[in-house]
Amino acid sequence: MRVLGIETSCDETGVAVYDTALAGAAGLRAHAVYSQIALHARYGGVVPELASRDHVRKLLPLIRQTLDQAGLHARDLDGVAYTAGPGLVGALLVGAGVARALAWALDLPALGVHHMEGHLLAPLMEDDPPQAPFVALLVSGGHTQLVAVEQIGRYRLLGQTLDDAAGEAFDKTAKMMGLPYPGGPQLASLAEQGTPGRYRFARPMTDRPGLDFSFSGLKTQVLLAWRDSDQSDATRRDIARGFEDAVVDTLVIKCQRALEAAGSKVLVVAGGVGANQRLRARLHESAARHGGRVCFPRPALCTDNGAMIAFAGALRLQAGQHDDAQVKVTPRWDMATLQALAPAA
């Protein structure tokens, strides 16, 4: 089954084609992402109306480009999947409208995909994918959650952030230290050059039981350290390293607790922060120490992309699920309400 995936939940326009007839990573026939970072940089954050307009401009050319890269025509498709939520309502409606129109014109089934389920399932596109049950860490600019995955579509929330998501904390901390938007990746890059241990910050909520996260107090610690410092380039690097170490240590500790609570040895990590190299290294070390396994998508598929939507949609379309012709999005959508897929025979 060849499925076109469309992602327009926020500030990336993503399109991909996934072919279920091909195994593992080969199933991703083509994918392309257009980022709106340059558009929003002058405002220091995403402007929803501008995001929606840019999706309108970029989506159809990106669909044509992706089909060309896949060596396919629109008539060769077997289904269309699109992000229906969570996300910015205007941005979601652009992708949903185009997807529904395309499906109607080609007489194809179409399905709205949960954005976070797309992230969660992205590592399953790689070769030697993990099999449920497992524990998933969804860690991005908008979400930090630990989820027990009993089977595809059956998810149980184990813990989540009580305030800022980890990626949001990266971006806000970078902004406090004068780094331009989006600051998270730049902060991580600076941390690579920082001196370990020069600044040590708290590992929030690791001194008590539970699987929830909180990063607001950590941001305050960093702000106070930065204000009281000489604010030199060297100090910025050292503070960045101290902050990143604190976030990574916290995530690693909570992941191990979640695995123990769920009785699992397999951890799946997805979302934009999943591309962080220090986090990847530390989780691999933890998995090796505890006799477990950790699985990531390739870095290009950690941030928002059409590939994860095409894949998640293909699994559900293949199982016979599809939506009616109504153009409908769900900006707030609890993943626990999703329909479970029957395990493969």
Side-chain angles (χ1 to χ4, degrees):
M1 188 176 204
R2 288 169 291 210
V3 175
L4 179 75
I6 294 173
E7 155 60 23
T8 62
S9 65
C10 190
D11 60 343
E12 277 104 10
T13 311
V15 179
V17 175
Y18 190 85
D19 189 342
T20 61
L22 302 174
L28 184 57
R29 295 281 295 267
H31 76 104
V33 177
Y34 172 78
S35 173
Q36 298 178 1
I37 285 176
L39 174 67
H40 300 290
R42 64 162 64 179
Y43 306 103
V46 176
V47 182
E49 177 61 24
L50 295 182
S52 302
R53 292 180 186 181
D54 213 43
H55 288 310
V56 171
R57 285 192 290 264
K58 300 297 183 182
L59 184 52
L60 288 177
L62 210 60
I63 289 173
R64 297 188 191 101
Q65 174 189 326
T66 305
L67 288 171
D68 285 345
Q69 289 176 348
L72 298 172
H73 296 284
R75 62 178 177 270
D76 298 320
L77 296 171
D78 301 304
V80 181
Y82 58 94
T83 303
L88 303 175
V89 62
L92 291 168
L93 283 168
V94 175
V98 169
R100 292 296 339 174
L102 186 60
W104 179 84
L106 297 171
D107 193 24
L108 296 175
L111 181 74
V113 172
H114 193 290
H115 179 79
M116 295 312 296
E117 182 176 53
H119 274 302
L120 187 152
L121 298 179
L124 278 63
M125 277 188 284
E126 305 297 347
D127 295 328
D128 190 23
Q131 300 295 317
F134 54 77
V135 170
L137 170 67
L138 302 178
V139 57
S140 66
H143 298 82
T144 302
Q145 298 178 334
L146 283 163
V147 179
V149 179
E150 296 164 4
Q151 66 187 76
I152 294 176
R154 183 170 294 167
Y155 308 120
R156 179 167 52 92
L157 182 65
L158 299 174
Q160 62 184 333
T161 184
L162 304 179
D163 40 60
D164 292 340
E168 184 181 8
F170 265 93
D171 287 337
K172 289 182 176 179
T173 299
K175 187 173 183 178
M176 288 190 306
M177 293 198 296
L179 297 175
Y181 172 87
Q186 297 187 54
L187 186 70
S189 179
L190 281 179
E192 291 297 317
Q193 308 165 44
T195 303
R198 177 78 171 78
Y199 285 88
R200 180 173 175 82
F201 302 111
R203 277 55 175 162
M205 298 183 70
T206 59
D207 59 348
R208 69 197 77 171
L211 297 173
D212 287 332
F213 302 89
S214 172
F215 295 108
S216 60
L218 176 59
K219 283 188 317 178
T220 302
Q221 277 192 301
V222 173
L223 175 61
L224 294 175
W226 175 245
R227 284 181 175 175
D228 292 341
S229 74
D230 60 8
Q231 300 191 4
S232 66
D233 289 342
T235 298
R236 183 183 277 110
R237 292 192 293 267
D238 292 342
I239 290 178
R241 177 60 185 265
F243 169 80
E244 184 181 67
D245 282 344
V247 173
V248 167
D249 284 352
T250 301
L251 293 173
V252 171
I253 291 168
K254 296 284 187 171
C255 283
Q256 186 54 40
R257 286 184 186 175
L259 289 166
E260 292 168 359
S264 176
K265 292 286 188 180
V266 179
L267 177 70
V268 161
V269 182
V273 181
N276 182 281
Q277 293 302 307
R278 198 176 310 284
L279 177 63
R280 286 182 173 237
R282 288 292 313 283
L283 284 173
H284 277 300
E285 291 170 5
S286 179
R289 190 163 57 249
H290 293 93
R293 180 187 180 197
V294 59
C295 305
F296 300 87
R298 70 200 77 168
L301 300 187
C302 287
T303 53
D304 292 351
N305 62 85
M308 67 185 191
I309 303 305
F311 178 69
L315 295 180
R316 291 188 172 274
L317 287 167
Q318 223 177 12
Q321 296 183 23
H322 61 84
D323 296 330
D324 59 32
Q326 182 181 13
V327 178
K328 180 183 177 183
V329 297
T330 310
R332 292 181 178 272
W333 190 358
D334 185 352
M335 205 161 58
T337 64
L338 294 176
Q339 181 180 346
L341 295 189

